[in-house]
């Protein structure tokens, strides 16, 4: 029996995001880099250095730059670099306005995106720089569609497993990840929660989350798997100044620092350094062991769990493969060889 639409919401979410786990994986996805040489030349222009822009009064112009943050991709570390760079660049009469919008705080997030007079709106409208831990289509809603943007993509198996280790207790109820996926497949996941917001947040992290975040069209029942994948791949290629990889995070930071010199680790004339920290690590005690001790999970899933993650994240697997290729083309555009690793 449906509980006030709660089950219906989850079932729609699962059906929309998991479609690739139930269809033939051999279906062709359009090649997004048909002419690599031409695209490398395009990247050379796109990645040229640019600085923050200030008006005649020394105030930073709004809507200049945002980070599209996918959870458990190293995005929190990248946000620390961004905030450090802003602090270093704004040591004058005016601080550089920055705001972070995250759907992890679902109630405040929903209020922000749905209420024109929400408290967040003035900050979103006036900020020069933002972190969006939210789908790309929300940036369009707030008129950030022409801003410079960066994002970091992670191998879906590693990202999901990291998410599971990070939220083992609160989200995934101290059960094996494969058992949690069984609840999703069997339509019984709603019974694990009392709050619809908690269920939606936790389930969404395990099902093609990065693909969903790269959509510029809100998801709907007639938005097919092909629609989703094509749009995410198109946005990956065309929307971002720099696309990073979690396993290449130091080199990603160097690329970002090249295109946005105010985010470089070192800036001439400043003693402040904006290095890349390791942030948001998994808890040292998840209270999932006997007598609320720590359940010490391995750094990588076993083969059965890996297979299940892959089955439920086929769109993200394809997106990740494209991101790896994109990253190497960025390296070519910058003229950086293997020695920069």
């Amino acid at each position: 029996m449906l509980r006030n639409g709660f089950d219906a919401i989850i079932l729609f979410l699962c059906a929309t995001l998991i479609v690739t786990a139930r269809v033939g994986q051999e279906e062709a996805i359009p090649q997004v880099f048909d002419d690599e040489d031409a695209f490398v030349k395009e990247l050379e222009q796109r990645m040229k250095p640019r600085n923050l822009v200030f008006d005649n009064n020394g105030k930073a112009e709004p809507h200049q730059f945002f980070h599209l943050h996918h959870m458990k991709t190293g995005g929190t570390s990248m946000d620390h670099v961004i905030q450090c760079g802003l602090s270093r660049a704004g040591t004058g009469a005016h601080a550089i306005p920055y705001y972070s919008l995250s759907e992890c705080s679902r109630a405040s997030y929903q209020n922000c995106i749905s209420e024109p007079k929400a408290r967040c709106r003035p900050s979103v409208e006036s900020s020069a720089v933002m972190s969006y831990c939210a789908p790309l289509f929300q940036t369009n809603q707030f008129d950030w569609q022409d801003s410079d943007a960066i994002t970091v993509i992670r191998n879906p198996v590693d990202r999901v497993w990291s998410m599971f280790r990070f939220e083992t207790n609160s989200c995934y109820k101290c059960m094996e990840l494969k058992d949690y996926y069984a609840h999703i497949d069997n339509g019984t996941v709603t019974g694990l929660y009392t709050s619809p917001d908690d269920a939606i947040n936790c389930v969404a992290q395990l099902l093609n989350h990065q693909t969903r975040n790269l959509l510029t069209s809100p998801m709907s029942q007639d938005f097919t798997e092909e629609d989703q994948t094509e749009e995410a791949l198109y946005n990956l290629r065309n929307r971002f100044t720099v696309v990073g990889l979690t396993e290449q995070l130091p080199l990603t930071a160097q690329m970002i620092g090249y295109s946005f010199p105010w985010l470089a680790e070192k800036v001439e004339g400043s003693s402040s350094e904006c290095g890349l920290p390791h942030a948001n690590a998994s808890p040292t005690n998840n209270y999932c062991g006997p007598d609320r001790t720590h359940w010490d999970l391995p750094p990588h899933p076993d083969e059965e769990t890996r297979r299940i993650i892959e089955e439920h994240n086929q769109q993200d697997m394809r997106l990740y493969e494209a991101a790896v290729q994109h990253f190497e083309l960025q390296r070519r555009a910058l003229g950086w060889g293997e020695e920069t690793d």
Side-chain angles (χ1 to χ4, degrees):
M1 180 178 296
L2 299 183
R3 296 182 289 153
N4 297 324
F6 180 14
D7 294 281
I9 293 171
I10 294 295
L11 288 174
F12 169 62
L13 175 68
C14 295
T16 305
L17 293 175
I18 201 174
V19 284
T20 51
R22 300 292 174 255
V23 299
Q25 297 178 11
E26 71 283 355
E27 291 184 11
I29 296 298
Q31 176 55 256
V32 292
F33 303 110
D34 292 325
D35 187 341
E36 287 191 358
D37 291 339
F39 189 62
V40 167
K41 290 186 180 298
E42 180 181 330
L43 288 174
E44 289 175 2
Q45 296 301 313
R46 186 188 306 177
M47 299 179 72
K48 281 186 174 181
R50 77 289 310 267
N51 287 308
L52 291 167
V53 179
F54 299 84
D55 64 19
N56 293 333
N57 296 316
K59 184 178 180 180
E61 298 284 356
H63 296 203
Q64 294 193 46
F65 171 97
F66 71 83
H67 169 213
L68 190 74
H69 178 183
H70 318 280
M71 285 192 68
K72 308 314 294 178
T73 61
T76 302
S77 298
M78 194 58 62
D79 279 346
H80 282 309
V81 172
I82 292 169
Q83 291 175 63
C84 176
L86 288 174
S87 177
R88 182 175 57 192
T91 55
H94 299 283
I96 299 171
Y98 169 84
Y99 192 69
S100 177
L101 179 65
S102 174
E103 62 182 347
C104 297
S105 304
R106 192 164 183 84
S108 58
Y109 171 77
Q110 288 294 335
N111 178 260
C112 185
I113 65 175
S114 61
E115 296 294 334
K117 295 184 179 180
R119 291 177 60 186
C120 72
R121 291 298 184 99
S123 295
V124 173
E125 292 168 2
S126 64
S127 289
V129 175
M130 277 196 65
S131 174
Y132 277 96
C133 191
L136 189 58
F137 59 76
Q138 295 298 349
T139 69
N140 295 352
Q141 175 188 348
F142 293 128
D143 198 29
W144 285 72
Q145 65 271 13
D146 297 322
S147 308
D148 289 324
I150 62 167
T151 197
V152 179
I153 303 296
R154 188 173 187 179
N155 181 302
V157 173
D158 294 339
R159 196 200 72 81
V160 166
W161 187 248
S162 178
M163 188 69 199
F164 175 66
R165 295 180 72 208
F166 187 67
E167 294 282 4
T168 313
N169 189 318
S170 59
C171 249
Y172 306 117
K173 309 305 178 185
C174 297
M175 66 177 64
E176 296 279 356
L177 182 56
K178 59 186 176 183
D179 295 333
Y180 188 89
Y181 271 120
H183 276 288
I184 294 175
D185 294 343
N186 296 332
T188 56
V189 71
T190 58
L192 304 175
Y193 303 94
T194 57
S195 165
D197 287 347
D198 289 344
I200 291 169
N201 280 346
C202 295
V203 170
Q205 290 293 331
L206 304 185
L207 304 175
N208 295 306
H209 182 69
Q210 295 173 107
T211 299
R212 174 261 193 178
N213 273 6
L214 283 180
L215 299 179
T216 40
S217 303
M219 299 179 72
S220 63
Q221 288 180 320
D222 59 355
F223 200 34
T224 67
E225 172 202 349
E226 183 179 4
D227 293 335
Q228 294 170 10
T229 307
E230 286 186 359
E231 184 169 289
L233 289 172
Y234 178 86
N235 288 331
L236 177 78
R237 177 180 182 178
N238 294 287
R239 181 60 190 88
F240 298 95
T241 308
V242 178
V243 173
L245 297 174
T246 302
E247 65 267 32
Q248 294 273 17
L249 205 57
L251 185 54
T252 294
Q254 290 180 44
M255 287 183 176
I256 293 169
Y258 172 84
S259 293
F260 303 97
W262 56 277
L263 288 175
E265 182 173 358
K266 297 179 180 180
V267 172
E268 186 177 354
S270 173
S271 60
S272 177
E273 297 186 8
C274 296
L276 192 67
H278 181 210
N280 230 17
S282 296
T284 56
N285 189 353
N286 53 32
Y287 301 100
C288 287
D291 300 320
R292 292 178 56 78
T293 57
H294 184 59
W295 178 18
D296 191 15
L297 291 160
H300 306 287
D302 59 41
E303 286 306 309
E304 180 185 9
T305 304
R306 172 179 290 274
R307 175 184 58 79
I308 292 171
I309 296 172
E310 290 177 348
E311 287 177 352
H312 288 78
N313 289 274
Q314 281 296 301
Q315 287 172 297
D316 270 13
M317 295 296 291
R318 291 164 176 168
L319 182 75
Y320 172 69
E321 290 171 3
V324 171
Q325 186 181 11
H326 189 106
F327 190 83
E328 290 307 311
L329 296 181
Q330 288 177 157
R331 193 203 295 258
R332 279 177 53 187
L334 295 174
W336 293 0
E338 297 297 325
E339 68 276 4
T340 56
D341 285 346

